[in-house]
Amino acid sequence: MLGAICGDIIGSWYEFRNIKVKDFQPLFHKGAKFTDDTVCTVAVADALVHDLDPVVTLQRWGREYWSNGGWGQRFNLWLADDNPQPYNSWGNGAAMRVSAAGLLGTSLDDALDLAHRVTVITHDHPEGLKGAQATAAAIWLARNRKNSEEIRQALVERFGYRLDMTVDEIRPGYKFTESSKDSVPQALVCALEATDFEDAVRNAVSIGGDSDTIAAIAGSVAEARFGIPDDIAAKAWSFLPVDMRSVMTALYEQAQP
């Protein structure tokens, strides 16, 4: 989960200022901040850790941190609605917020069920659901010591994603999109090709596009593969208010080893 938040913060500066290089400096730009991706990630974790209705937690956290911006137009309306309903979203917002499902799942099927529970309330389009479940599956598999090729094969077989491209092949022509089918596979490649956590996030930022969300997805999987270096974790933690830290602490206490 902190991996997703690291990716969100690091990628935030570049979402509308795309770069196509990996060696950007510093890793955390002075203009970096946590965005709606972090808020929604915490909201989903809050629901799963405390067995709450994810509609309630997403609306509560979203309204509390509305000013952080970045909300999609339809999700923004959903947040404000007193009777919110799924809106057939095929976007990547479900995948970027789902990491707690991969961390808390007691089995792969359980992780997929948790991902479905927190996704279908907004992203009930098949592509939106697929993106969230594929991300949760990648996290669960990585935490259970599957290597990158085993994870890649499992995701291709279960979800039908094309994951045979490389980051260098993706980068030149990749453009901004919020479509799950055109951003989740790319984010997964960034994580699976990486040599360590930082490399995964740099891969994600370097392809351009929806940088904070792609880096959040890649970061969530990379955390499960590699862990997070202490200096990067501490820097991301320093951006977060106390209420978010409390949810994260509770999640890691409950997550399967």
Side-chain angles (χ1 to χ4, degrees):
M1 177 178 167
L2 184 57
I5 292 171
C6 290
D8 174 42
I9 295 170
I10 293 167
S12 64
W13 179 255
Y14 301 103
E15 181 179 12
F16 301 113
R17 305 172 185 87
N18 280 180
I19 55 174
K20 295 283 186 173
V21 297
K22 287 180 62 172
D23 60 349
F24 56 90
Q25 297 295 339
L27 183 62
F28 289 85
H29 191 278
K30 64 181 180 181
K33 64 176 185 176
F34 72 82
T35 77
D36 59 305
D37 294 21
T38 290
V39 177
C40 290
T41 296
V42 172
V44 165
D46 193 14
L48 294 181
V49 168
H50 299 114
D51 195 23
L52 302 173
D53 182 348
V55 172
V56 172
T57 60
L58 275 166
Q59 286 202 317
R60 177 166 58 83
W61 284 94
R63 291 172 181 179
E64 175 69 20
Y65 289 98
W66 206 314
S67 63
N68 278 68
W71 311 101
Q73 182 178 8
R74 288 192 296 170
F75 187 72
N76 205 24
L77 294 172
W78 185 91
L79 281 178
D81 198 325
D82 290 334
N83 184 30
Q85 299 297 317
Y87 50 90
N88 200 37
S89 176
W90 38 255
N92 55 21
M96 60 76 170
R97 73 191 191 203
V98 80
S99 53
L103 294 171
L104 293 172
T106 56
S107 66
L108 178 56
D109 285 342
D110 186 46
L112 295 176
D113 287 345
L114 292 175
H116 185 277
R117 173 187 163 195
V118 298
T119 297
V120 73
I121 57 174
T122 53
H123 294 61
D124 54 336
H125 187 282
E127 290 296 339
L129 285 164
K130 182 195 291 188
Q133 289 191 311
T135 302
I139 293 167
W140 190 90
L141 290 166
R143 278 176 57 81
N144 283 272
R145 296 182 172 82
K146 301 300 182 182
N147 64 38
S148 61
E149 288 309 311
E150 290 172 321
I151 297 169
R152 192 187 308 266
Q153 182 177 353
L155 297 179
V156 169
E157 290 177 355
R158 184 179 284 262
F159 300 103
Y161 280 149
R162 180 189 169 192
L163 299 176
D164 59 345
M165 62 282 208
T166 67
V167 173
D168 286 343
E169 290 170 341
I170 295 168
R171 187 182 297 114
Y174 191 68
K175 299 184 184 301
F176 188 98
T177 177
E178 295 177 349
S179 163
S180 182
K181 71 181 180 64
D182 294 319
S183 56
V184 173
Q186 289 78 4
L188 293 171
V189 168
C190 288
L192 295 176
E193 186 179 309
T195 56
D196 56 34
F197 179 82
E198 182 175 338
D199 191 50
V201 175
R202 288 187 178 278
N203 281 342
V205 172
S206 79
I207 68 171
D210 191 0
S211 295
D212 60 335
T213 296
I214 293 172
I217 297 167
S220 67
V221 177
E223 176 187 6
R225 289 193 65 204
F226 305 110
I228 307 173
D230 289 345
D231 59 333
I232 296 177
K235 181 67 173 179
W237 190 262
S238 73
F239 281 79
L240 303 178
V242 172
D243 54 355
M244 290 188 177
R245 295 181 184 185
S246 177
V247 171
M248 293 174 64
T249 298
L251 177 128
Y252 284 114
E253 288 175 349
Q254 187 172 321
Q256 296 294 307

